[in-house]
């Protein structure tokens, strides 16, 4: 730890993409961008800055774009500050940025892995997702999963007040009025092509596990919090947990709660829209509220 504080770099996932992202980075790392372009077969800079084909929101393109921009952002952050973080964490595809930063694989290997992941997830079409705002997960569980519609499941535990559900699109549509009637402030359908982080990704997860088996991951130099376990990755379980991540909930709330146990944690988001920073602040508020109630008692 540095100066009695804990530095945590966090990387956002899908939903954080925007035209213009990476504008200040591409020309600083032209050799990496050129090599990444050769792997995927198109200009990532053009995709991010102009998106002439209108594909930046398609999963197979989104994930590559975010991985490249977030990775370059991390390199620039370290170059400017000259300090490595104490912990790394990322949301869904952002977890691969955290693993790159920790030394699990080099930048170009990460491009290959993420391109395959995006391709597999794009192929698993037919499902949908929706963000449920203002309803705690234990109440959502009354209507989703074994206690309710068992074709729906919780996919992202983003904060105490933001939970994402996944499943067949028609089931999502039927669940929206039910959740609103029972206390949800909002239920927002997400622009995704499939039910990510749910059992509907089982086939993609298995194929991704086999693909990852081609690579030899290096030992992590910095602890990375796993989306699947909400605890630091163990080197020997890395490939298994990354495949399970595709079909299991992203446990972001628990991940942040774990990091909040360390001395004066400082969360730095590598991205332009502060999406994860807002979630971290919501989680901090909830944790502090619970602590306050406990202290009063």
């Amino acid at each position: 730890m540095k100066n009695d504080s804990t530095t945590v770099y966090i990387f956002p996932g899908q939903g954080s993409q925007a035209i213009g992202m990476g504008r200040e980075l591409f020309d600083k790392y032209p050799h990496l961008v050129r090599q990444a372009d050769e792997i995927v077969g198109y200009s990532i800079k053009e995709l991010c800055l102009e998106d002439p084909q209108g594909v930046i929101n398609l999963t197979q393109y989104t994930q590559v774009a975010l991985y490249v921009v977030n990775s370059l952002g991390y390199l620039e952050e370290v170059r400017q500050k000259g300090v490595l973080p104490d912990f790394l964490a990322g949301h869904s595809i952002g977890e691969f940025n955290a693993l790159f930063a920790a030394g699990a694989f080099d930048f170009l290997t990460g491009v290959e892995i993420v391109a395959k992941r995006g391709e597999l997830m794009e192929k698993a079409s037919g499902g949908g997702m929706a963000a449920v705002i203002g309803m705690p997960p234990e109440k959502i569980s009354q209507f989703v999963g074994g206690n309710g519609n068992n074709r729906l499941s919780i996919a992202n535990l983003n904060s105490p007040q933001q939970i994402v559900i996944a499943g067949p699109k028609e089931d999502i549509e039927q669940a929206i009025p039910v959740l609103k009637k029972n206390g949800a402030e909002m239920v927002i359908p997400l622009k995704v092509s499939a039910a990510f982080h749910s059992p509907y990704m089982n086939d993609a997860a298995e194929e991704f596990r086999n693909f990852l088996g081609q690579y030899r991951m290096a030992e992590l130099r910095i602890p990375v919090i796993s989306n699947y376990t909400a605890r630091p990755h163990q080197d020997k379980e890395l490939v298994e947990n990354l495949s399970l991540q595709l079909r299991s909930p992203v446990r972001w709330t628990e991940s942040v709660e774990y990091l909040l146990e360390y001395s004066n944690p400082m969360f730095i988001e590598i991205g332009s829209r502060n999406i994860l920073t807002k979630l971290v602040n919501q989680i901090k508020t909830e944790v502090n509220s619970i602590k306050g109630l406990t202290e009063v008692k």
Side-chain angles (χ1 to χ4, degrees):
M1 296 181 187
K2 307 172 181 68
N3 300 321
D4 197 32
S5 66
T6 305
T7 303
V8 184
Y9 283 1
I10 53 178
F11 300 89
Q14 282 184 253
S16 65
Q17 71 271 14
I19 301 297
M21 66 180 186
R23 187 179 302 279
E24 72 286 2
L25 296 168
F26 290 114
D27 292 341
K28 293 181 179 180
Y29 300 92
H31 60 299
L32 293 180
V33 175
R34 182 176 63 254
Q35 291 173 304
D37 288 352
E38 291 173 359
I39 290 172
V40 298
Y42 55 84
S43 170
I44 297 168
K45 177 180 177 179
E46 183 180 65
L47 169 68
C48 292
L49 301 188
E50 302 172 19
D51 189 23
Q53 305 301 318
V55 296
I56 197 169
N57 291 320
L58 298 180
T59 295
Q60 67 188 85
Y61 294 97
T62 306
Q63 295 195 6
V64 170
L66 285 173
Y67 172 80
V68 169
V69 171
N70 288 348
S71 294
L72 298 183
Y74 173 77
L75 293 175
E76 185 66 10
E77 184 80 13
V78 172
R79 188 180 74 84
Q80 292 285 348
K81 295 184 177 179
V83 177
L84 294 175
D86 298 295
F87 285 93
L88 296 152
H91 191 286
S92 192
I93 190 63
E95 185 169 358
F96 291 81
N97 290 113
L99 291 167
F100 157 67
F105 41 74
D106 62 33
F107 171 75
L108 295 176
T109 298
V111 173
E112 293 176 359
I113 290 172
V114 165
K116 183 65 174 181
R117 183 180 186 270
E119 173 193 320
L120 291 172
M121 293 176 73
E122 183 73 35
K123 190 168 65 174
S125 60
M129 303 176 78
V132 184
I133 309 299
M135 179 181 276
E138 57 272 16
K139 189 166 184 181
I140 294 174
S141 295
Q142 296 175 17
F143 307 99
V144 170
N147 295 321
N149 184 330
N150 60 15
R151 297 212 302 170
L152 295 176
S153 60
I154 290 177
N156 297 348
L157 294 132
N158 288 339
S159 79
Q161 296 300 313
Q162 186 186 121
I163 311 298
V164 175
I165 60 174
K169 285 185 178 180
E170 59 271 23
D171 293 60
I172 295 281
E173 292 171 359
Q174 292 170 12
I176 289 174
V178 175
L179 291 167
K180 286 182 177 179
K181 181 180 178 181
N182 285 276
E185 294 174 14
M186 291 187 289
V187 183
I188 306 167
L190 303 182
K191 294 180 180 180
V192 296
S193 59
F196 303 149
H197 301 294
S198 80
Y200 290 90
M201 300 300 294
N202 283 347
D203 290 345
E206 186 61 30
E207 192 169 345
F208 191 50
R209 177 191 286 108
N210 294 334
F211 178 79
L212 288 176
Q214 303 175 65
Y215 296 90
R216 183 176 180 181
M217 305 291 180
E219 291 185 5
L220 302 181
R221 298 193 294 264
I222 303 170
V224 176
I225 306 303
S226 164
N227 283 186
Y228 176 63
T229 65
R231 292 295 182 271
H233 270 294
Q234 302 301 309
D235 291 314
K236 63 182 180 180
E237 299 172 354
L238 189 55
V239 167
E240 179 68 12
N241 285 350
L242 288 177
S243 62
L244 288 169
Q245 189 231 55
L246 278 185
R247 60 184 180 88
S248 305
V250 173
R251 297 164 63 184
W252 187 251
T253 299
E254 292 173 75
S255 298
V256 173
E257 289 173 344
Y258 172 82
L259 292 165
L260 289 173
E261 293 296 319
Y262 284 82
S263 174
N264 189 26
M266 308 295 291
F267 293 84
I268 299 171
E269 183 168 358
I270 307 297
S272 60
R273 300 180 64 189
N274 293 324
I275 289 176
L276 293 183
T277 301
K278 293 174 183 176
L279 296 178
V280 168
N281 289 337
Q282 290 175 18
I283 296 164
K284 282 182 178 178
T285 298
E286 184 78 8
V287 168
N288 290 336
S289 175
I290 292 171
K291 284 183 177 178
L293 289 172
T294 304
E295 289 169 1
V296 168
K297 288 180 180 180

